[in-house]
Amino acid sequence: MQDINLDCLREFYFIKKREWIDNKVIIASQTAELKKVTSVIEETNKEIAKLEIFLANVNKRLIADGALQRKIIEIEDKTKALLDRQKTVSEPKECNTEAIIEKIEELQSANQSR
């Protein structure tokens, strides 16, 4: 009877010891997994912060549709005015490019000799 109780007690001890070891392994693996997940969360939070800063900068630079339309109209008006000015400028009918080139060369040589 005592041998049976002692054997049962040993078996119970080893079962509990095995459960304890299994639980330690599970705890260690879950702790490692928790650290990995925590680091991923931290990296993701850093990335989110960077993206929020980027989004804030983009929103600062963003032009409203009405303002954009006004800018487009202003640019078109300026372009039209410049084209009209260009049409009013008269070009000489005959332009002696060789004489102009000679004068430029003379001016350059005069400037270099100074």
Side-chain angles (χ1 to χ4, degrees):
M1 209 50 169
Q2 236 179 359
D3 289 340
I4 293 175
N5 285 339
L6 191 57
D7 287 339
C8 287
L9 190 58
R10 279 191 188 126
E11 186 176 338
F12 179 76
Y13 170 77
F14 288 125
I15 288 171
K16 290 298 179 183
K17 184 72 171 178
R18 181 176 179 204
E19 287 176 0
W20 182 80
I21 291 171
D22 289 344
N23 287 339
K24 284 286 191 182
V25 169
I26 290 170
I27 289 171
S29 66
Q30 288 180 347
T31 302
E33 186 67 26
L34 181 62
K35 286 181 182 178
K36 287 179 188 176
V37 170
T38 304
S39 72
V40 168
I41 289 171
E42 288 174 0
E43 289 176 23
T44 303
N45 286 337
K46 288 178 185 176
E47 187 68 25
I48 288 171
K50 288 178 186 176
L51 290 173
E52 286 175 345
I53 291 169
F54 174 75
L55 184 60
N57 289 336
V58 167
N59 285 334
K60 286 179 187 176
R61 294 181 182 180
L62 191 62
I63 300 173
D65 288 338
L68 183 61
Q69 289 298 325
R70 285 192 298 272
K71 291 267 189 197
I72 290 172
I73 291 170
E74 285 177 27
I75 291 171
E76 287 174 349
D77 289 343
K78 287 180 183 178
T79 304
K80 184 178 177 186
L82 289 173
L83 289 175
D84 289 343
R85 261 201 217 159
Q86 185 179 10
K87 288 177 185 177
T88 60
V89 174
S90 61
E91 293 181 27
K93 296 295 179 190
E94 291 184 26
C95 184
N96 189 355
T97 55
E98 291 178 14
I100 293 172
I101 292 173
E102 287 176 12
K103 287 181 182 180
I104 291 173
E105 289 174 351
E106 287 175 15
L107 288 172
Q108 285 177 343
S109 65
N111 284 338
Q112 287 176 355
S113 64
R114 286 186 191 176

